[in-house]
Amino acid sequence: MDTIFALSSGSPPAAIAVIRISGPQAGGALRALAGKLPPPREAKLATLRDPATLGILDRALTLWFPGPGSATGEDLAEIHAHGGRAVVRAIESALSGIAGLRPALPGEFTRRALMNSRIDLAEAEGLADLLEAETEGQRRQALALAGGALSGKVAEWQEQLLMLSARVEAMLDFADESDVTADETEISLINNVIDEISTSWRHWLARPWSERLRDGLTVAIAGPPNAGKSTLLNAIATREAAIVSAQAGTTRDVIEVALALDGIPFRFADTAGLHGGTGDAIEAEGMRRAQAWIASADMLLWLGSPDDVPDHPHACRIAAQVDHMAIASGADLALSAQTGEGMAELHRWLVDRARTLLPREGEVAMNERHRAALQAAVDALDDQAAQPDPLLLAEHLRAARTAIDAITGQAGTEDMLDALFGRFCIGK
């Protein structure tokens, strides 16, 4: 395997530059630059020299982590040098001149940690989310995932399935032994445990999605033309995000604005005005997109007649423009984006409703890949449907184990791994 190196700290200039080297020649590379290896896991000051010219590169701290007890599971060295651009370039150039060393690819250090079982796939995804976290909620969720909160639960599920599989295999392999039963009572007991596991998994699938925390809750602002949708979007965003005009049909496409309210990420969408019939093909397409946004949004702010609100589980019927219009009967909130009246109440409604749709503090949420794997496991157990045949029961349990294994990467694919680690920076 190649030995890789990369700058693992922020781009220079900086106070300190951390350069990592991982692979079978990591020790030799550090020895070539520093003259000797420091004691394992002890930082030592050394004069770095270019092996080709013996010219001094820098005075830096060096660290040595012998494998497999390192972050990547293989020999790993670190150089903590001064963070100037010229210093970093000189050290990287010297490393490039050593045979068998090459610059790392994006996420390659973390990928090696996964391949060497230092972390599992769910933990690697948590680390990727942590690097991209922008809000406190995103940070907490990513840290929990990277710390193995989901992986620990998956390990429990794997153990449960293995124990059930062992009982079924015992019935198949040793049914003639006096101390192993293969009667209907034993199979019924196993099926009861399977039902309990399946119910538990359904509760996990019903939990809020991690994508809502990572990408933001989607909010559609919808209603008929000239209802004040664009004005409301601008008021929420506190900037001129959308064009406001008295002319009907000004908004013909979806205008999205991402922002955070009380640390919660949102994506608001000002949609085209909805009305019956139009000969304008562009306006018709705008209304089609508006309907699609309403159907997929986590929340709906409806500025039309309360009686016309689309069927949506999290809709707020808003009586807008109350500074010069009467409040419609049946509205949930009355406000004026122009004067600010009612905007605090809308802010509170959005945040309160968002908290019911996001993972609670300390609650681990699954992403789309996790949910798909868990759903496949649920389907495998549902297919057994109190299966009386031990052979078929064993097969359904095997299929469920395979699906569960995919959550932590024991049944992953190369394409999925390439996509994941491509999100990482070079030195991670």
Side-chain angles (χ1 to χ4, degrees):
M1 178 178 288
D2 293 339
T3 297
I4 58 175
F5 67 89
L7 176 67
S8 292
S9 54
S11 299
I16 301 294
V18 179
I19 298 171
R20 305 171 83 190
I21 311 166
S22 184
Q25 298 186 57
L30 184 59
R31 190 182 292 109
L33 267 65
K36 62 179 180 179
L37 290 180
R41 296 172 181 80
E42 289 187 21
K44 291 294 182 180
L45 187 64
T47 298
L48 304 182
R49 295 180 181 273
D50 188 330
T53 65
L54 299 183
I56 295 177
L57 300 171
D58 193 21
R59 291 273 290 171
L61 289 176
T62 59
L63 293 99
W64 170 239
F65 304 93
S70 70
T72 58
E74 55 192 15
D75 288 348
L76 178 72
E78 286 188 1
I79 297 171
H80 294 219
H82 293 93
R85 291 188 178 90
V87 174
V88 173
R89 280 198 302 266
I91 294 173
E92 290 181 332
S93 177
L95 290 171
S96 296
I98 299 175
L101 268 67
R102 65 168 175 82
L105 300 173
E108 193 166 6
F109 287 94
T110 307
R111 184 164 189 158
R112 291 192 177 196
L114 174 66
M115 297 307 179
N116 293 322
S117 300
R118 297 298 293 174
I119 59 174
D120 62 35
L121 184 54
E123 291 168 334
E125 288 173 314
L127 182 56
D129 290 342
L130 187 61
L131 295 175
E132 298 173 353
E134 295 181 352
T135 69
E136 181 63 16
Q138 291 170 346
R139 183 194 65 82
R140 287 196 301 264
Q141 178 64 214
L143 201 58
L145 191 59
L150 178 59
S151 300
K153 194 63 185 178
V154 170
E156 293 180 19
W157 296 338
Q158 291 168 328
E159 180 66 20
Q160 289 175 320
L161 292 176
L162 283 172
M163 293 299 294
L164 288 175
S165 294
R167 290 170 64 177
V168 175
E169 294 296 335
M171 286 191 293
L172 292 172
D173 295 341
F174 307 108
D176 57 336
E177 300 290 336
S178 59
D179 59 343
V180 179
T181 61
D183 56 22
E184 294 181 0
T185 300
E186 174 71 2
I187 293 178
S188 178
L189 289 173
I190 291 173
N191 279 318
N192 287 339
V193 176
I194 288 175
D195 289 341
E196 292 175 4
I197 294 172
S198 182
T199 298
S200 171
W201 288 351
R202 292 181 191 281
H203 290 156
W204 272 80
L205 289 170
R207 286 187 174 192
W209 307 343
S210 67
E211 286 86 356
R212 286 174 172 166
L213 193 58
R214 184 191 67 204
D215 302 329
L217 289 155
T218 54
V219 183
I221 303 175
N226 283 352
K229 300 183 296 297
S230 298
T231 303
L232 179 59
L233 176 67
N234 291 343
I236 294 171
T238 65
R239 64 182 177 88
E240 295 298 316
I243 297 173
V244 176
S245 170
Q247 181 179 339
T250 300
T251 301
R252 295 194 169 200
D253 202 352
V254 176
I255 299 172
E256 295 185 42
V257 174
L259 56 96
L261 300 178
D262 291 4
I264 299 173
F266 288 88
R267 283 195 298 126
F268 290 88
D270 176 20
T271 62
L274 300 176
H275 60 92
T278 177
D280 189 323
I282 296 177
E283 191 175 13
E285 174 62 18
M287 287 195 289
R288 187 195 66 78
R289 295 185 183 186
Q291 295 284 9
W293 244 94
I294 292 171
S296 63
D298 297 310
M299 288 179 268
L300 168 63
L301 302 184
W302 177 253
L303 274 63
S305 169
D307 295 334
D308 297 333
V309 61
D311 184 22
H312 195 285
H314 304 289
C316 181
R317 297 167 296 180
I318 295 176
Q321 305 174 352
V322 295
D323 52 323
H324 63 271
M325 291 181 63
I327 299 176
S329 175
D332 299 309
L333 287 177
L335 58 82
S336 168
Q338 292 283 7
T339 67
E341 179 185 350
M343 291 300 295
E345 288 76 9
L346 175 60
H347 181 117
R348 188 160 50 250
W349 184 89
L350 288 165
V351 170
D352 289 345
R353 188 57 57 97
R355 286 177 175 149
T356 68
L357 298 172
L358 293 174
R360 296 188 298 270
E361 187 170 352
E363 180 182 66
V364 179
M366 295 187 295
N367 62 30
E368 183 178 7
R369 190 187 67 80
H370 303 153
R371 295 195 304 274
L374 188 58
Q375 184 62 61
V378 169
D379 293 342
L381 293 190
D382 285 351
D383 287 344
Q384 59 88 23
Q387 181 58 246
D389 187 335
L391 277 173
L392 294 177
L393 185 55
E395 177 59 24
H396 291 310
L397 286 170
R398 183 204 61 77
R401 291 202 317 272
T402 299
I404 288 296
D405 287 347
I407 296 177
T408 50
Q410 297 180 29
T413 65
E414 282 298 310
D415 288 343
M416 183 270 298
L417 294 178
D418 288 341
L420 168 64
F421 293 113
R423 295 168 55 193
F424 284 70
C425 54
I426 296 295
K428 198 63 183 174

